[in-house]
Amino acid sequence: MIKYLIESNNPVSQFIQITLYIPVRHLSQVRLQLPAWRAGRYQLANYVQNIRNFNVISPTGKLIPSSKLTKDLWEFSPDHVGEYQVSYEYYCAKMDAGSCWVDDEQIYLNFVNCCFEIVGRSEERIDVEVISSQDFQICTTLLSENNQLYASNFQQLADSSYIASQNLTHDSFELGETIFHLWFNGEVSFDIADFKTDVKQFALKQIQAFGEFPVDEYHFIYQLLPYPHYHGVEHQRGTVITFGPAQSLVERKNLNELMGVSCHELYHAWNVCQIRPVEILPYDFSKEAYHEAGWMVEGVTTYMGDLFLLKSGYFSLEEYFETFEKVLNRESINLGWKNQSILESSFDLWIDGYVGGIPDKKVSIYTHGALIAFCLDAMLLDENSSLHQVMKILWKRFGKPKIGYTMEEVWEVILSQTHHPIYFNQFYDDFILGKEDIFPLVAKHLSSLGFELDAKPKRDQLSSNYGIIKNDEGLIIKIHPESDAYNKLMLGDIIKSKTDTSNGVELSIDRFGRELQVALLNSEILLYKDYFLVDRKSNPKRGAWING
């Protein structure tokens, strides 16, 4: 049986020692593929950079040679049948929701980072043993049988997480046939009972929307950190969420952030973990897996995660407004929609999807995708359907039977919910395939729910009147392409002083060591602005949106 034995001989070194036991029955070459990326982040991570001291030992105890065929694919030729041992060390020094961290207080692992797939034997069961201090408590999304942790196959191992820690707090609740676990590693500065009640409410609403939950056990695993952090990663049997500072969770606004990512990641238990594009079912972790479904996998999830906090009663309408406004204002300063469709931005995730990239090149599959999802939901409500109904159909047709969907099949389901396909196809051409400004349409659909989308100047005059966004040190980080500044200033210029003039402003800047004076004309329109929602009136459609 394939088995991993993992321990840390010196936790403060942040290395773990891993031994992979491989039973070899035939004298054919054995290939070991380390993942180059992980689910939920479509970007090469090259985990191989954290490996050292790789060795292969034969059943006779002899060290045998191995070779690398690619940067993260090893091969060795067995000379006997029997059990081979592959030993190596992995450096666990990145704390986020998808990586590995080891210190004197915990062993935290996401196995996709550090475990090899044995090529050709991916469907075999894999046993896992992690040696840790006796006073450590353990939580994991691995399966368990007779006190033995295991994964049914490599895909499940790569989708699993593990924490052994002396600071774990645990609670749980049941909904239907599923047990939900809450694990908190670190300082808990809020009432766990209240937190559990709120999680239970949004979980119930999501289950009611889909009609069932995909698995019989689910783990919310929280790394509560003493420093600022925010990250979440979905898994079929749970989620890992990092948040800090932990003490800040005494404030409602910060607890709202934690609740928001929790609801988002739970929605992924259906959308992505099960309802998945055909290009990533199953995951091939050895190379890029290009797809154009970013607005579906993250945009819909971002929109639904926030909406279910409103539906469950956790969010007041005012709090939901605040969350929606954050999405709008993140989008409003990004003019990437003029240059790249969301389909193109999804395909290009592997290039620059998780970094700033060059100015106004792309759109965010999260926030821009959420606005697309909102508009579709509003349009479907007019057809006596909803985006929830579409997702429920996709769950039954693709998710539950684990059949990957194509974007054409998703759109066919959406069109099945309308008697006016021409409008939906025009929407697709303009805002999914195309590069039209979605804000006017968002405003229109908000109005149909009784909300007004309004705007005001940003607090910084330079942003709204001159199209300049700078950091606290005066470093210019964004320039509006329709501003006077776009033809006179550079990204990286540092504003040293500002003097108002009769028709504009004069800036003294440092341009990479050169001192310059730049005069700018005041814009006749607000360039960068802050959007906010105003509740004008309620109507029947709003009730269907919140309660349907």
Side-chain angles (χ1 to χ4, degrees):
M1 183 175 293
I2 299 170
K3 179 178 178 179
Y4 276 96
L5 176 64
I6 302 173
E7 57 188 323
S8 182
N9 297 330
N10 178 13
V12 295
S13 74
Q14 299 200 277
F15 277 97
I16 54 174
Q17 289 71 46
I18 301 178
T19 304
L20 167 58
Y21 297 88
I22 307 174
V24 172
R25 306 176 188 90
H26 308 285
L27 297 184
S28 56
Q29 290 174 317
V30 177
R31 290 187 173 183
L32 303 173
Q33 176 69 61
L34 190 75
W37 60 282
R38 63 164 177 79
R41 194 171 187 90
Y42 309 103
Q43 179 184 53
L44 292 179
N46 291 321
Y47 300 118
V48 67
Q49 63 191 301
N50 297 317
I51 283 183
R52 73 178 189 186
N53 200 21
F54 180 95
N55 292 293
V56 181
I57 301 172
S58 75
T60 62
K62 182 178 69 174
L63 193 68
I64 65 172
S66 62
S67 58
K68 290 184 74 173
L69 305 182
T70 69
K71 63 180 175 14
D72 43 29
L73 175 63
W74 275 261
E75 180 183 76
F76 69 88
S77 300
D79 53 6
H80 292 79
V81 296
E83 186 176 72
Y84 284 74
Q85 297 180 26
V86 178
S87 65
Y88 56 99
E89 293 183 295
Y90 189 88
Y91 190 51
C92 304
K94 185 174 182 180
M95 173 56 77
D96 64 25
S99 300
C100 295
W101 179 273
V102 171
D103 61 21
D104 54 316
E105 293 186 326
Q106 67 173 304
I107 296 176
Y108 163 49
L109 306 172
N110 282 286
F111 295 105
V112 69
N113 294 193
C114 58
C115 291
F116 286 96
E117 179 176 7
I118 304 172
V119 178
R121 300 178 64 175
S122 303
E123 293 305 312
E124 294 185 32
R125 168 173 162 155
I126 303 166
D127 284 2
V128 178
E129 180 181 358
V130 183
I131 298 174
S132 61
S133 174
Q134 291 185 349
D135 64 345
F136 280 9
Q137 192 176 358
I138 294 170
C139 74
T140 181
T141 56
L142 286 168
L143 302 172
S144 179
E145 181 181 71
N146 299 322
N147 295 319
Q148 175 64 61
L149 298 177
Y150 74 96
S152 299
N153 51 39
F154 183 78
Q155 288 280 314
Q156 188 173 68
L157 178 66
D159 194 45
S160 298
S161 306
Y162 174 99
I163 296 180
S165 170
Q166 60 188 8
N167 298 313
L168 273 177
T169 304
H170 175 254
D171 207 331
S172 64
F173 62 88
E174 293 186 31
L175 286 174
E177 299 179 355
T178 302
I179 300 174
F180 291 85
H181 296 273
L182 299 170
W183 300 94
F184 305 95
N185 188 37
E187 179 184 350
V188 180
S189 57
F190 50 87
D191 188 286
I192 290 180
D194 289 344
F195 187 87
K196 179 172 71 171
T197 298
D198 293 330
V199 172
K200 188 174 182 179
Q201 283 301 110
F202 74 64
L204 177 62
K205 284 293 184 181
Q206 290 193 23
I207 292 170
Q208 289 172 343
F210 281 102
E212 59 188 320
F213 196 71
V215 294
D216 60 4
E217 188 174 44
Y218 189 90
H219 299 259
F220 289 93
I221 302 172
Y222 296 94
Q223 288 273 19
L224 301 178
L225 305 169
Y227 50 85
H229 213 284
Y230 177 90
H231 191 215
V233 173
E234 70 270 14
H235 300 286
Q236 188 169 319
R237 289 170 47 83
T239 176
V240 179
I241 293 168
T242 56
F243 193 95
Q247 288 184 333
S248 71
L249 291 170
V250 298
E251 300 179 31
R252 171 79 178 187
K253 67 174 184 178
N254 295 319
L255 197 60
N256 287 353
E257 293 288 331
L258 184 62
M259 202 64 69
V261 68
S262 300
C263 196
H264 176 109
E265 299 303 339
L266 181 64
Y267 196 84
H268 272 314
W270 291 273
N271 192 28
V272 179
C273 288
Q274 300 270 117
I275 309 168
R276 198 185 302 175
V278 67
E279 294 89 346
I280 53 174
L281 185 64
Y283 293 117
D284 181 352
F285 295 112
S286 69
K287 62 181 184 298
E288 298 93 332
Y290 299 100
H291 66 79
E292 295 182 323
W295 70 270
M296 265 292 297
V297 300
E298 292 297 352
V300 169
T301 304
T302 298
Y303 169 67
M304 290 296 196
D306 293 337
L307 185 58
F308 272 105
L309 290 180
L310 178 63
K311 287 176 172 290
S312 69
Y314 175 79
F315 268 166
S316 66
L317 189 58
E318 182 181 357
E319 288 174 317
Y320 181 77
F321 276 8
E322 291 173 359
T323 301
F324 202 103
E325 286 163 0
K326 286 181 182 178
V327 172
L328 289 167
N329 288 315
R330 286 171 184 161
E331 272 299 293
S332 69
I333 64 171
N334 179 18
L335 301 178
W337 55 268
K338 292 187 174 184
N339 300 305
Q340 194 172 69
S341 74
I342 198 164
L343 299 182
E344 294 170 315
S345 292
S346 179
F347 195 87
D348 278 2
L349 284 168
W350 298 94
I351 301 172
D352 60 358
Y354 301 92
V355 295
I358 63 175
D360 295 323
K361 174 212 166 185
K362 62 191 177 186
V363 296
S364 165
I365 63 170
Y366 294 85
T367 52
H368 198 83
L371 296 183
I372 287 173
F374 165 73
C375 290
L376 282 173
D377 198 17
M379 293 166 67
L380 288 164
L381 285 170
D382 289 333
E383 305 285 336
N384 295 315
S385 184
S386 67
L387 192 54
H388 310 294
Q389 182 62 24
V390 167
M391 294 305 295
K392 189 174 182 178
I393 295 170
L394 292 174
W395 159 247
K396 291 180 177 179
R397 190 172 298 179
F398 299 102
K400 193 171 183 179
K402 298 184 178 180
I403 301 170
Y405 64 73
T406 66
M407 293 309 299
E408 290 77 15
E409 288 169 325
V410 169
W411 201 250
E412 286 174 8
V413 172
I414 291 173
L415 292 181
S416 75
Q417 301 300 297
T418 176
H419 297 293
H420 307 93
I422 187 171
Y423 299 123
F424 282 80
N425 285 331
Q426 189 64 55
F427 175 88
Y428 185 92
D429 289 344
D430 289 345
F431 303 108
I432 298 178
L433 180 63
K435 306 170 188 175
E436 297 297 320
D437 183 4
I438 200 170
F439 267 65
L441 191 63
V442 170
K444 173 187 172 183
H445 289 305
L446 283 169
S447 178
S448 74
L449 293 169
F451 308 132
E452 181 180 336
L453 180 59
D454 209 342
K456 60 184 177 182
K458 284 185 174 292
R459 187 173 300 176
D460 183 0
Q461 178 197 26
L462 287 176
S463 298
S464 294
N465 295 350
Y466 301 98
I468 301 168
I469 297 179
K470 59 181 179 61
N471 65 14
D472 293 339
E473 287 72 44
L475 181 75
I476 296 176
I477 56 177
K478 198 166 187 65
I479 306 173
H480 198 289
E482 296 175 14
S483 67
D484 187 32
Y486 192 73
N487 299 307
K488 297 176 180 179
L489 294 175
M490 291 176 61
L491 297 181
D493 284 349
I494 301 173
I495 299 174
K496 309 299 290 187
S497 65
K498 175 175 73 75
T499 304
D500 292 327
T501 62
S502 59
N503 61 349
V505 70
E506 186 169 296
L507 301 179
S508 175
I509 65 168
D510 178 338
R511 177 170 294 167
F512 305 99
R514 287 189 292 148
E515 297 296 328
L516 298 173
Q517 301 296 315
V518 177
L520 300 177
L521 297 175
N522 198 339
S523 172
E524 296 181 356
I525 60 170
L526 292 180
L527 294 168
Y528 292 120
K529 47 196 170 184
D530 282 332
Y531 286 90
F532 60 97
L533 300 179
V534 180
D535 190 3
R536 291 302 186 197
K537 59 182 179 179
S538 184
N539 56 34
K541 182 177 176 181
R542 183 190 298 188
W545 175 61
I546 296 175
N547 302 314

